[in-house]
Amino acid sequence: MQEEIRPDSMDPDHGKTDGAIAPSARGGTATALSTVVLSIPADRDQVVLVRSVAAHIGVRLGLSVAELTDLRLAVDEACGVFLLSPDFGAVGETLDCRFDELPGRDEDPPTLTVAVSAPVGPTLGPDVDDIGWIMLGALVDELSWRAENGVGTVRLVKRLLGRGA
Amino acid sequence: MDRFAVSAGESGEGRHVVTVRGELDLAAADRLWKELEPLITPGALVVLDGTDMTFLDSSGLRVLLQAAKRATAATAAFRLVAPQPAVQRVLELAGTGDFLATRADLPSALAG
């Protein structure tokens, strides 16, 4: 069973869909051109490592200074969904961050997809009224939350526009 | 090298400057509030000098908003100097214009 929350949905039961191993909003799977995986202890002091990795990946992908700023903040806020939740402490000791560079397909541009995951209890999820989640929605092109089999995932998609496919 | 540093000093009677350098994120926010809170007393002017503050997230922003709210309640003044683009971006995104008194630089923040 899956639960997906997008910023414009107030209903936690909205949008139950079949999952895919590497889901994309376009449907189906895409083979990543490049994948970086980072696991950090679930500790606020470690989030700087995720920001740093995101920034370096963004530089490699040719993001502008403004896009890099937004990406660093976005991954920080994604980690915060877990680390700032009072429900988080009891479960889970690591945050897994996966950065996939996905190729363009048909009319869809290439993207950088970031998934931040951790074991979660049934009550943990983003507060859609929280300033952090609202800002996060404005920083990326697609944002979603999924809780499946005791693992919660915040997924961010940044379109890589004006670049070769 | 410390990626977040906060220090407080007095700039005349009841005028405090809290200097923040580096990244004000979810790891640093509590530490800032501990420094800031005791200074927000009736009639005080508290300036957060973030000239060298390079990063701000929602946790850091919450502390800034908390300080502004506490200042209003305590008839104190809280002013923010935070010129760096990454920080300006957050203030703009969060729409804090009406809630946070910002100044372009420290001398402006300490004036009047």
Side-chain angles (χ1 to χ4, degrees):
Chain A
M1 292 287 266
Q2 288 171 208
E3 175 196 355
E4 197 161 320
I5 295 179
R6 295 173 190 274
D8 58 352
S9 167
M10 298 296 287
D11 177 3
D13 293 319
H14 167 80
K16 293 209 192 296
T17 58
D18 291 334
I21 299 301
S24 81
R26 319 161 226 198
T29 59
T31 304
L33 297 171
S34 152
T35 296
V36 172
V37 177
L38 172 68
S39 273
I40 60 165
D43 177 334
R44 300 181 189 196
D45 288 330
Q46 306 277 351
V47 177
V48 61
L49 299 175
V50 184
R51 298 200 298 264
S52 182
V53 168
H56 286 292
I57 290 174
V59 166
R60 184 175 63 75
L61 295 176
L63 296 188
S64 68
V65 170
E67 288 174 310
L68 287 172
T69 299
D70 284 4
L71 180 63
R72 279 176 77 217
L73 180 58
V75 301
D76 176 277
E77 295 294 345
C79 292
V81 170
F82 299 93
L83 298 176
L84 297 171
S85 169
D87 295 342
F88 186 67
V91 193
E93 289 164 1
T94 63
L95 291 190
D96 295 323
C97 309
R98 184 189 168 105
F99 300 82
D100 285 306
E101 180 192 354
L102 298 174
R105 191 174 70 178
D106 301 326
E107 281 144 27
D108 295 321
T111 66
L112 171 64
T113 296
V114 184
V116 179
S117 303
V120 295
T123 57
L124 194 152
D127 176 356
V128 297
D129 296 323
D130 179 70
I131 186 69
W133 182 256
I134 293 168
M135 283 203 313
L136 188 40
L139 292 165
V140 297
D141 296 307
E142 295 169 30
L143 170 64
S144 61
W145 164 261
R146 176 172 294 178
E148 180 183 9
N149 298 326
V151 175
T153 300
V154 175
R155 201 165 146 273
L156 320 172
V157 178
K158 167 69 189 162
R159 287 181 208 129
L160 305 172
L161 300 168
R163 291 162 184 87
Chain B
M1 186 174 87
D2 196 359
R3 54 187 166 76
F4 173 76
V6 57
S7 61
E10 247 192 288
S11 183
E13 183 101 4
R15 292 146 66 82
H16 305 274
V17 177
V18 176
T19 304
V20 169
R21 291 192 179 86
E23 301 173 351
L24 179 52
D25 67 355
L26 68 175
D30 288 347
R31 195 173 3 145
L32 174 62
W33 182 241
K34 280 194 174 68
E35 289 281 341
L36 212 41
E37 188 191 13
L39 304 177
I40 307 174
T41 56
L45 167 62
V46 179
V47 174
L48 192 145
D49 182 2
T51 304
D52 294 326
M53 183 165 69
T54 56
F55 180 83
L56 180 70
D57 67 6
S58 63
S59 296
L61 178 62
R62 257 181 230 107
V63 172
L64 301 181
L65 292 172
Q66 228 171 320
K69 188 173 167 186
R70 179 68 65 87
T72 303
T75 53
F78 175 70
R79 294 177 188 160
L80 174 66
V81 176
Q84 300 215 12
V87 177
Q88 285 291 313
R89 171 63 168 155
V90 174
L91 300 181
E92 167 211 345
L93 263 182
T96 57
D98 291 341
F99 301 105
L100 280 178
T102 57
R103 297 289 187 276
D105 52 37
L106 184 55
S108 314
L110 288 169

